Amino acid sequence: MSEQSLASTIVPKSDQANADDLIAAPVTVEILAVKQGDKESPVWIVTSGFEGRPWKPCKSMRRVLISAWGEYGSQWVGKFVTLFCDPEVMYGGVKVGGIRISHMSDIEGDLILSLTETRGKRKPFTVRKLVITAPAKASSAANPYPSEQFTAQLEKMRDSIASGKSTADKIVAYCLTIGTLTPEQEAAIRAPIETPETEEEEIF
């Protein structure tokens, strides 16, 4: 009997991709969507990995992405990156580890960029060219989200949003790990939640 991998047992409980997700090994993922995030993490990237949890690249990695693929997130969709855990990443003077890019598809050759390591200090950062064969692209490309499955799950999705257990962004991100959504399907998820009107009690 073949031995079962234990990598799944150390996946961190979080709503975003973390360096700890990559402790076992680097991961190559396809970019499915790029969304505007919040003040702390202005870019959220939905990928084919991390079970729908978005990757929120740091400023240095955003500079790498923009340098390689351009300044618009729509240009990144359908491309591939290999991500790894860099244990040397510092935060607040402590080594906490961070997600870094080692390889990227759709670049002419290896990239060498000068990135800020610490205040006033820059260091060369190399990104290798990732070659994705045509069959691999076809097999990894997301298929359409099955319409029957979507119809069956839509009410549960909407209830989850209405109850505050989830958000439309999180549900869309999760759906994209299963297949691509039509504009109508995404609109159905994001449609405003209607709350039942309650009659006001008359006061005499």
Side-chain angles (χ1 to χ4, degrees), residues 58-75:
C58 65
K59 184 178 290 185
S60 292
M61 293 302 100
R62 296 199 299 271
R63 287 171 176 160
V64 171
L65 291 162
I66 290 172
S67 297
W69 291 338
E71 61 183 293
Y72 298 103
S74 59
Q75 298 173 306

Side-chain angles (χ1 to χ4, degrees), residues 51-174:
E51 300 178 335
R53 290 176 289 128
W55 166 40
K56 302 177 182 180
C58 65
K59 184 178 290 185
S60 292
M61 293 302 100
R62 296 199 299 271
R63 287 171 176 160
V64 171
L65 291 162
I66 290 172
S67 297
W69 291 338
E71 61 183 293
Y72 298 103
S74 59
Q75 298 173 306
W76 307 354
V77 176
K79 295 179 171 63
F80 293 76
V81 291
T82 299
L83 306 175
F84 71 100
C85 172
D86 181 355
E88 298 300 314
V89 172
M90 305 281 289
Y91 183 80
V94 179
K95 289 185 179 180
V96 296
I99 296 178
R100 295 292 182 260
I101 299 169
S102 64
H103 294 72
M104 300 177 73
S105 70
D106 298 270
I107 56 177
E108 294 183 358
D110 295 348
L111 295 177
I112 301 178
L113 304 171
S114 179
L115 300 180
T116 301
E117 184 179 38
T118 57
R119 184 174 296 180
K121 182 180 179 181
R122 301 175 74 86
K123 182 180 178 180
F125 185 84
T126 301
V127 177
R128 304 295 182 187
K129 180 178 180 179
L130 177 63
V131 178
I132 302 292
T133 62
K137 280 188 176 183
S139 64
S140 62
N143 295 316
Y145 195 108
S147 58
E148 292 183 1
Q149 181 180 347
F150 180 84
T151 301
Q153 295 295 324
L154 179 59
E155 185 176 352
K156 293 181 180 179
M157 297 178 191
R158 301 277 295 162
D159 287 345
S160 183
I161 295 171
S163 65
K165 293 180 180 179
S166 188
T167 65
D169 283 339
K170 289 181 180 179
I171 289 175
V172 168
Y174 175 75

